[in-house]
Amino acid sequence: MAEEAQAKLWEGNVSAKLRGPKAETIWSFLEDFCSLHKWLPGLDTCYKVEGVDGQPGLIRYCGTTITSPSNEPITLWCHEKLAEIDENQRTLSYEIIENNMGMKMYKATIKVVPMEGGDDESGCEIKWSFVAEPVESSKLEELVSYLESSLNGMAQKMENALLCTN
């Protein structure tokens, strides 16, 4: 029975390459778990709900308002818990613990690494992997496409922020 439930989980990976920025620079944007709204396109707000900044157990609220087909505003939100963070490996894992988007279980890991085949001077790559229970009336491909688009948008915002500071 447990194997049957395991087989039904969605799993996926997306990545974005940034030419130029060092992995440690991009990591500095992501390690602030409650500043996701600065980087994730379409996310209106992200703030700490409880816990200690930068420590496992920290819970953040993420929310965005969309317009329904009947022209009514709808706020989509979730509470996400920082499960692990490793500054040396530039990786963090988190999970959705509560939401109104129909997600029952979602766990993700984000890692920033030097560009493959190069050194930290040639740029870096953000890797985002996840495992989730299927979402009713949705497809795995839709979630992967959303994450890929979101991550590419994040990478672009980070590159733009660095251009503005140089």
Side-chain angles (χ1 to χ4, degrees), residues 23 89-90 111-116 120 123-127:
Q89 295 296 313
R90 294 185 290 267
K111 184 170 187 151
V112 183
V113 297
M115 192 72 73
E116 192 172 315
D120 203 35
C124 65
E125 185 174 10
I126 305 171
K127 297 182 176 190

Side-chain angles (χ1 to χ4, degrees), residues 27 30-34 52-60 80-97 106-112 127 129 131:
W27 171 249
L30 293 171
E31 72 178 326
D32 181 357
F33 190 63
C34 297
V52 177
D53 290 344
Q55 296 296 311
L58 175 66
I59 298 174
R60 70 182 175 193
E80 297 175 337
K81 181 168 114 178
L82 182 60
E84 294 179 47
I85 187 164
D86 184 331
E87 292 179 25
N88 294 325
Q89 295 296 313
R90 294 185 290 267
T91 185
L92 66 82
S93 297
Y94 69 95
E95 60 188 295
I96 292 178
I97 56 173
Y106 174 88
K107 295 179 181 180
T109 298
I110 296 175
K111 184 170 187 151
V112 183
K127 297 182 176 190
S129 61
V131 61

Side-chain angles (χ1 to χ4, degrees), residues 66-83:
I66 61 169
T67 304
S68 74
S70 62
N71 225 18
E72 298 292 321
I74 299 172
T75 300
L76 300 176
W77 62 270
C78 63
H79 285 139
E80 297 175 337
K81 181 168 114 178
L82 182 60

